[in-house]
Amino acid sequence: MTFEEEIKRRRTFAIISHPDAGKTTLTEKLLLYGGAINVAGAVKSNKIKKTATSDFMEIERQRGISVATSVMGFEYQGKKINILDTPGHKDFAEDTFRTLTAVDSVIVVIDVAKGVEPQTEKLVKVCRMRKTPIIVFINKLDRDGKDAFDLLDEIESKLGIKVRPLTWPIGMGHDLKGIYNLYKRNLLLYTPNSTERVSETVNISEIADPELDNQIGAEDAEILREEVDLVESVYPPFDRDVYLNGDISPVFFGSAINTFGIQELLQCFLDIAPCPLPKASEERIVDSFEEKFTGFVFKIHANMDPKHRDRLAFVKVVSGKFKRNTNYKHIRLDRNLKFSSPTAFMAEKKSIVEEAFPGDIVGLHDTGNFKIGDTLTEGEIIHYKGIPSFSPEMFRFINNADPMKTKQLAKGVDQLMDEGVAQLFTMQTNGRKLIGTVGALQFEVIQYRLKHEYGASCNYENHNVHKACWISCEDKAQLEEFKKVKYRSMAKDKYGRDVFLADSAFTIQMSEQKFPKVKFHFTSEFED
Ligand code: G4P
């Protein structure tokens, strides 16, 4: 197979949802179709359960398991599919945001009864920022849920995306008869609890075909005809280019647990989802078909065994072919590194690979050289953009609780921050270290890991911060003036950028009025 063919057959994507909508179940069913796993339940173990919110030991254990399922690659109908797993737990949202920088498209799962939930909104917002193509899967059709048209309206208004249904439900809950495939023009009949990979499909050449009445009854056939008419008149015809541009999202209905409507989704996904896309770096846009290797680190996973403190850095190959035992330039360190055991991920298995193509994820063993966002190339100076930090929501000072272990604490904090467990801010007044996280759980995880992996002890002290704002200003004098006035609330992030720690929304509002040229950003990635 040629290099171009290898790239064109790759589909790298993530499934995102609010917890409990059915992401894990859908992932598993896709893997079953791909023949990558044989039994349901294989992926479940990866899930960080809701019940574990206060049990971080359990979360650590599950994190260990999740290394294996962080990336699930499999072959299906000549395509190489890479599913990037995202933690459903909201305290790990930052992890999910970063994973989204490494995918070429996403499938959003929505619960038919619950509709659009808060976590879905947040994640889709990040996708919209990057114009990532989105496919929507409305799950749990075997339960009574919202009216399909109402749900589509809700998706459009809450998620800010335009939709185009490609399958349509016939009934719902107890009355679920099947779905009509608007794309392939056939009927899929529903058989509850089907563990079969293929449900029964009936070809209906046109919606007026009397065979439809025979299959689902005259009454339902009539309703379906009316609804399909309405769909065709309300929604524009599906256009792949518009989808690839992130401007329209095809919608599928089904029930993941019943393996119903999944094949329709997968088939269409294979037809329309993009192969690895060009990626912007600070210097230029890099096309995936370029011959020279480039890639970036989007995730770092610590080894769970404290005796071997190596880590696994996940690199997305953006362009060229990545080869084992070859020297690559680590741009930030300005050093050549070579990797003797790069790992590829196929379903539940990890294996050492000789080469990897754009779209693939390779795991590199690391002894502390990598930070999230690092770029590797064959020599060209390129810095990939777009691993943003978002303003954390909780802030605590970290204090050393064991003066004999100061060095270990500093090293541990440093490495945990490189992994992206939390964000570290250094106060400009006195150099105190402030840790910011998305959820309370991270503080426990940090404390636990510092103790067990680095032998260091720490305690925390609450600090009232509403938001961390990255600031920019065209007017240098005004910026300096602002920094002087707000001296006590100024800190540096880990890259040395200025961050204003506002104690309330009101403070930000007042600052905006007083310093009209200073701009306040809630993510570290912004256009000036
Ligand atoms: P998540 O990863 O998005 O958090 O969701 P997950 O797949 O774990 O699904 C959440 C719950 O919803 C699970 O039930 C799962 O069995 C159920 N579910 C998934 N798809 C469907 C569907 O199509 N119809 C119905 N009725 N339920 C569905 P649970 O009781 O929380 O877990 P479990 O005990 O079944 O594992």
Side-chain angles (χ1 to χ4, degrees):
M1 206 175 297
T2 65
F3 176 59
E4 282 76 21
E5 284 165 344
E6 284 286 4
I7 300 176
K8 283 188 182 149
R9 75 188 194 96
R10 275 168 167 74
R11 302 283 180 274
T12 302
F13 74 107
I15 303 177
I16 54 176
S17 74
H18 191 88
D20 269 351
K23 179 174 75 75
T24 314
T25 314
L26 177 63
T27 307
E28 203 160 86
K29 295 300 162 111
L30 294 177
L31 291 173
L32 278 170
Y33 267 112
I37 54 169
N38 296 314
V39 284
V43 184
K44 270 275 180 227
S45 54
N46 177 31
K47 209 178 144 181
I48 295 174
K49 287 272 179 204
K50 265 186 310 197
T51 47
T53 41
S54 57
D55 184 357
F56 58 93
M57 282 288 287
E58 174 60 14
I59 288 191
E60 282 303 288
R61 194 186 66 76
Q62 294 189 16
R63 254 169 44 86
I65 296 166
S66 75
V67 177
T69 48
S70 287
V71 180
M72 288 158 281
F74 63 98
E75 301 267 344
Y76 185 65
Q77 295 184 352
K79 300 271 194 307
K80 166 82 191 292
I81 299 174
N82 295 314
I83 306 181
L84 272 51
D85 190 40
T86 56
H89 199 294
K90 76 167 178 28
D91 285 9
F92 293 89
E94 192 83 15
D95 246 15
T96 304
F97 294 148
R98 285 192 290 257
T99 299
L100 291 179
T101 63
V103 301
D104 298 303
S105 70
V106 298
I107 295 180
V108 178
V109 184
I110 290 173
D111 182 321
V112 70
K114 294 191 181 143
V116 175
E117 296 173 88
Q119 194 68 4
T120 327
E121 273 186 67
K122 273 199 190 162
L123 294 171
V124 169
K125 206 165 156 192
V126 176
C127 295
R128 277 200 349 251
M129 257 164 60
R130 310 174 170 276
K131 291 199 141 280
T132 308
I134 300 171
I135 293 180
V136 177
F137 180 70
I138 297 180
N139 191 28
K140 308 197 185 180
L141 221 52
D142 58 316
R143 289 204 186 146
D144 286 323
K146 300 187 179 185
D147 169 76
F149 285 107
D150 291 347
L151 202 50
L152 295 181
D153 284 350
E154 184 181 330
I155 292 171
E156 289 203 332
S157 63
K158 284 199 181 158
L159 298 182
I161 55 176
K162 290 254 162 282
V163 298
R164 191 349 161 159
L166 290 184
T167 62
W168 195 255
I170 306 164
M172 217 176 261
H174 284 304
D175 301 323
L176 178 64
K177 294 269 171 62
I179 50 177
Y180 180 68
N181 190 336
L182 297 152
Y183 186 58
K184 290 260 153 75
R185 303 264 152 211
N186 62 23
L187 182 70
L188 182 68
L189 294 172
Y190 175 62
T191 3
N193 291 320
S194 154
T195 46
E196 299 287 312
R197 292 194 186 164
V198 184
S199 300
E200 192 187 345
T201 52
V202 181
N203 280 322
I204 304 281
S205 53
E206 50 168 358
I207 193 88
D209 191 335
E211 181 57 21
L212 189 66
D213 302 66
N214 296 339
Q215 293 289 344
I216 60 172
E219 202 177 315
D220 282 324
E222 204 41 48
I223 297 173
L224 178 66
R225 287 188 185 106
E226 279 171 21
E227 291 186 340
V228 168
D229 260 2
L230 196 56
V231 167
E232 302 293 357
S233 62
V234 171
Y235 298 99
F238 177 69
D239 181 334
R240 182 172 181 233
D241 289 336
V242 184
Y243 153 73
L244 290 179
N245 206 24
D247 290 330
I248 201 147
S249 299
V251 179
F252 291 83
F253 290 83
S255 167
I257 199 102
N258 292 297
T259 326
F260 180 68
I262 309 298
Q263 202 182 14
E264 288 58 34
L265 171 73
L266 179 59
Q267 204 59 53
C268 181
F269 171 81
L270 292 177
D271 288 349
I272 67 171
C275 66
L277 300 169
K279 187 165 172 71
S281 72
E282 275 166 28
E283 292 77 11
R284 66 186 184 87
I285 293 190
V286 181
D287 195 84
S288 30
F289 292 89
E290 288 181 25
E291 273 179 18
K292 295 216 160 132
F293 163 75
T294 64
F296 68 98
V297 177
F298 67 95
K299 177 178 175 135
I300 294 177
H301 218 301
N303 194 329
M304 289 300 112
D305 180 354
K307 287 191 211 85
H308 305 275
R309 208 190 292 145
D310 62 338
R311 312 186 291 180
L312 202 57
F314 289 74
V315 172
K316 159 106 186 252
V317 181
V318 176
S319 67
K321 211 193 275 183
F322 173 91
K323 296 196 202 95
R324 185 181 170 195
N325 280 328
T326 305
N327 268 317
Y328 291 119
K329 193 182 179 86
H330 185 310
I331 301 296
R332 183 177 52 83
L333 298 183
D334 190 21
R335 251 174 67 192
N336 281 339
L337 297 175
K338 94 173 143 186
F339 306 94
S340 58
S341 49
T343 306
F345 306 87
M346 290 300 281
E348 302 144 284
K349 290 192 273 311
K350 287 198 291 179
S351 58
I352 291 181
V353 279
E354 293 301 326
E355 55 184 29
F357 293 90
D360 284 341
I361 311 298
V362 279
L364 303 179
H365 286 282
D366 170 42
T367 45
N369 286 323
F370 286 119
K371 284 186 188 197
I372 282 175
D374 279 345
T375 304
L376 284 177
T377 74
E378 288 190 22
E380 188 180 347
I381 308 291
I382 280 180
H383 298 85
Y384 278 113
K385 291 209 254 195
I387 308 265
S389 304
F390 290 81
S391 173
E393 314 208 335
M394 292 179 185
F395 298 82
R396 290 181 196 169
F397 283 117
I398 179 164
N399 298 324
N400 187 2
D402 181 353
M404 304 294 285
K405 298 283 165 63
T406 310
K407 255 193 185 154
Q408 286 86 337
L409 183 79
K411 183 169 181 198
V413 169
D414 215 36
Q415 294 207 341
L416 293 183
M417 297 307 131
D418 289 352
E419 270 178 45
V421 176
Q423 291 180 55
L424 187 71
F425 302 97
T426 309
M427 300 304 294
Q428 281 178 10
T429 40
N430 52 15
R432 282 190 84 182
K433 307 275 185 216
L434 185 70
I435 288 184
T437 68
V438 181
L441 199 59
Q442 260 88 349
F443 289 108
E444 287 178 62
V445 170
I446 292 168
Q447 207 165 32
Y448 175 83
R449 289 189 56 191
L450 284 173
K451 181 102 211 144
H452 288 82
E453 292 171 34
Y454 300 88
S457 301
C458 74
N459 54 43
Y460 299 112
E461 200 181 306
N462 279 338
H463 186 48
N464 175 34
V465 176
H466 165 67
K467 281 264 164 36
C469 312
W470 284 266
I471 51 174
S472 65
C473 184
E474 282 172 4
D475 182 340
K476 281 238 150 49
Q478 190 168 100
L479 184 65
E480 288 313 312
E481 173 65 15
F482 174 80
K483 284 178 13 189
K484 214 163 102 193
V485 172
K486 298 290 180 191
Y487 187 63
R488 299 182 67 80
S489 306
M490 292 304 297
K492 295 270 187 201
D493 74 0
K494 66 176 175 192
Y495 298 106
R497 290 175 294 208
D498 284 321
V499 177
F500 170 51
L501 303 171
D503 58 7
S504 69
F506 181 68
T507 308
I508 300 174
Q509 214 181 339
M510 291 304 287
S511 304
E512 278 170 339
Q513 280 174 16
K514 217 166 150 204
F515 300 92
K517 289 191 186 151
V518 176
K519 289 188 193 145
F520 300 86
H521 311 273
F522 300 123
T523 95
S524 64
E525 185 185 283
F526 51 81
E527 306 285 331
D528 278 325

